[in-house]
Amino acid sequence: MKQIYEDLSDDTDFDIIDLADVPDRDTVKRRKKKSQRDVNKTNKSEEVKKKEHSSTEDPSEDSRKERSKKARKRTSGNSGNGSSKASGKKRSTPSASIITTPVKKTVQTGAKITGKLLQTGARGVTLLMIAIIAFNIFKNFWSCYPVYGSLATAVNAKNYTLGAFLGVAAFLLIMEIIFFLWALTGPCAYGDRGTKRVDTGRGLFSFLFIGITVVAAGMFWNLIPSSPSPLTGLAGGLQLYGSLKGILLPLCGIGLVSCIIRKIFS
């Protein structure tokens, strides 16, 4: 035993350790975490280097792969858009062509037919009003002319008073005949199918003329002097014409409305 102890005392040296230098458990854990982080960083750096190395070695293969992916996406997108557009067209065309167009055509044809019917009816009313006005003028002058003399002896007796009286009636009747023919016809329109008469509301001026003149005759006939004798017949004719305003003005109003309707639907 003495020999062994001597050998140990000679060969081995024991170091004296201070307890303050011994690390705690927390420090040990921290050191382990740091060592693990360092290891992870080194691993990540090695992986990044490998990827960079692989990308530098074969960039053409990556670019080819990316191009092929883009081409697939484009073809799939175009096919999807085309199919959706085609399906949308197929769905929208029957609703637009089958439902809307017949309704529009029927409405347009109905509007044209009603417009033509109104136009022809208004034209008939215009002509009828002109004829009634002319008839009333002729009837009243024919019933009152014997007051100024006889037609048989008017030329031989040189009855200028009767001539002036009948001259007022003749002027009004000639104007009404012209207005009637003017309203009966219309201007010509030239198209692909040839010439065609168009109703533009003619006859409006005739009713304005009769309405204004009948009111003026009733107001100013007494301003005409009684001599010479033809002026007496003129005053008598205007007095008779002015007395017809209660009959002629309503007829002129109806005629004006009919001409306006014809003008709208022309």
Side-chain angles (χ1 to χ4, degrees), residues 3-67:
Q3 189 176 356
I4 292 166
Y5 180 77
E6 289 176 357
D7 294 332
L8 289 170
S9 61
D10 294 332
D11 297 332
T12 59
D13 294 327
F14 293 97
D15 294 329
I16 297 168
I17 298 168
D18 192 1
L19 293 173
D21 295 331
V22 177
D24 298 332
R25 290 181 181 179
D26 296 330
T27 55
V28 172
K29 289 180 180 179
R30 290 174 185 173
R31 288 175 183 177
K32 286 181 179 180
K33 287 181 181 180
K34 287 182 181 179
S35 62
Q36 288 177 358
R37 289 176 184 173
D38 294 333
V39 171
N40 291 326
K41 287 180 181 179
T42 53
N43 291 326
K44 287 180 181 180
S45 62
E46 289 178 356
E47 289 178 357
V48 170
K49 288 179 181 180
K50 287 179 181 180
K51 287 181 180 179
E52 290 177 353
H53 182 70
S54 61
S55 63
T56 53
E57 286 180 353
D58 52 354
S60 60
E61 290 181 358
D62 294 334
S63 61
R64 287 175 185 174
K65 288 179 181 179
E66 289 178 357
R67 288 175 185 175

Side-chain angles (χ1 to χ4, degrees), residues 176-193:
E176 286 302 300
I177 291 167
I178 293 169
F179 291 145
F180 185 86
L181 296 174
W182 180 255
L184 186 63
T185 59
C188 295
Y190 299 95
D192 296 333
R193 297 180 181 180

Side-chain angles (χ1 to χ4, degrees), residues 140-151 159 161-163 165-166 232-233 236-237 239-240:
N140 284 277
F141 274 88
W142 182 260
S143 63
C144 294
Y145 88 88
V147 177
Y148 298 96
S150 177
L151 287 174
N159 191 353
T161 304
L162 180 60
F165 179 81
L166 294 177
T232 304
Q239 182 183 3
L240 178 61

Side-chain angles (χ1 to χ4, degrees), residues 117-184:
L117 290 173
L118 288 171
Q119 193 173 11
T120 53
R123 188 178 183 184
V125 172
T126 301
L127 297 173
L128 182 63
M129 292 301 107
I130 294 171
I132 292 170
I133 289 168
F135 175 74
N136 279 283
I137 292 169
F138 175 78
K139 184 182 76 172
N140 284 277
F141 274 88
W142 182 260
S143 63
C144 294
Y145 88 88
V147 177
Y148 298 96
S150 177
L151 287 174
T153 61
V155 177
N156 295 324
K158 295 181 181 180
N159 191 353
Y160 297 110
T161 304
L162 180 60
F165 179 81
L166 294 177
V168 175
F171 173 76
L172 294 172
L173 291 173
I174 289 167
M175 291 298 295
E176 286 302 300
I177 291 167
I178 293 169
F179 291 145
F180 185 86
L181 296 174
W182 180 255
L184 186 63

Side-chain angles (χ1 to χ4, degrees), residues 72-94:
R72 288 175 185 174
K73 288 180 180 179
R74 288 176 183 174
T75 52
S76 62
N78 291 325
S79 62
N81 292 325
S83 62
S84 64
K85 287 179 181 179
S87 62
K89 287 180 180 178
K90 289 179 181 178
R91 290 176 184 175
S92 62
T93 48

Side-chain angles (χ1 to χ4, degrees), residues 197-219:
R197 292 284 181 182
V198 180
D199 189 4
T200 58
R202 284 182 175 182
L204 184 67
F205 178 74
S206 67
F207 300 110
L208 293 173
F209 173 78
I210 295 295
I212 292 168
T213 54
V214 74
V215 172
M219 292 173 64

